[in-house]
């Protein structure tokens, strides 16, 4: 009797092969979305200028800046200017007897 379900020898898409359907769908979706670029930007500007909510105005302004200039890159660095001091560790044993 043949086994059901699970990974079988030779089944599925070969390793490294791209999903053609997904890449074509993403391309079409991007093209459709670009048709609404001006309307979307107008809506963001409207929210930024007239919303009563500070969080909505900030989100709209951030979205506009991200689209105009790109998202800021994250730089992680740690700079320590303090002199290194040796640390003393003292081991104290507790015997439970006073």
């Amino acid at each position: 009797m043949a086994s059901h379900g699970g990974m079988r020898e030779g089944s599925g898409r070969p390793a490294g092969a791209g999903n053609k359907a997904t890449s074509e769908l993403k391309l079409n979706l991007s093209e459709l979305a670009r048709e609404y670029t001006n309307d979307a930007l107008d809506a963001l500007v409207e929210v930024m200028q007239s919303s009563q909510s500070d969080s909505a105005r900030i989100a709209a302004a951030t979205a506009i800046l991200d689209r105009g200039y790109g998202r800021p890159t994250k730089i992680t660095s740690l700079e320590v200017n303090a002199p290194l001091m040796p640390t003393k560790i003292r081991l104290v044993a507790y015997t439970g007897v006073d």
Side-chain angles (χ1 to χ4, degrees):
M1 180 170 189
S3 64
H4 296 282
M7 181 71 171
R8 291 180 296 279
E9 185 83 26
S11 68
R13 188 171 60 235
N19 185 340
K20 294 176 187 172
T22 302
S23 62
E24 290 173 8
L25 181 63
K26 285 181 183 177
L27 180 61
N28 291 338
L29 184 60
S30 295
E31 290 173 358
L32 289 172
R34 285 187 187 124
E35 292 179 17
Y36 296 99
T37 300
N38 291 334
D39 293 338
L41 187 58
D42 290 343
L44 286 171
V45 170
E46 175 68 25
V47 169
M48 182 185 73
Q49 292 176 341
S50 63
S51 177
Q52 298 297 315
S53 166
D54 286 342
S55 61
R57 291 196 339 256
I58 289 169
T62 301
I64 292 168
L65 290 173
D66 287 350
R67 281 149 186 81
Y69 297 99
R71 297 189 80 168
T73 57
K74 290 185 179 181
I75 299 174
T76 305
S77 65
L78 176 63
E79 188 174 317
V80 178
N81 294 327
L84 295 176
M85 301 295 289
T87 302
K88 257 188 204 180
I89 299 175
R90 186 172 58 155
L91 181 61
V92 177
Y94 176 71
T95 61
V97 179
D98 289 325

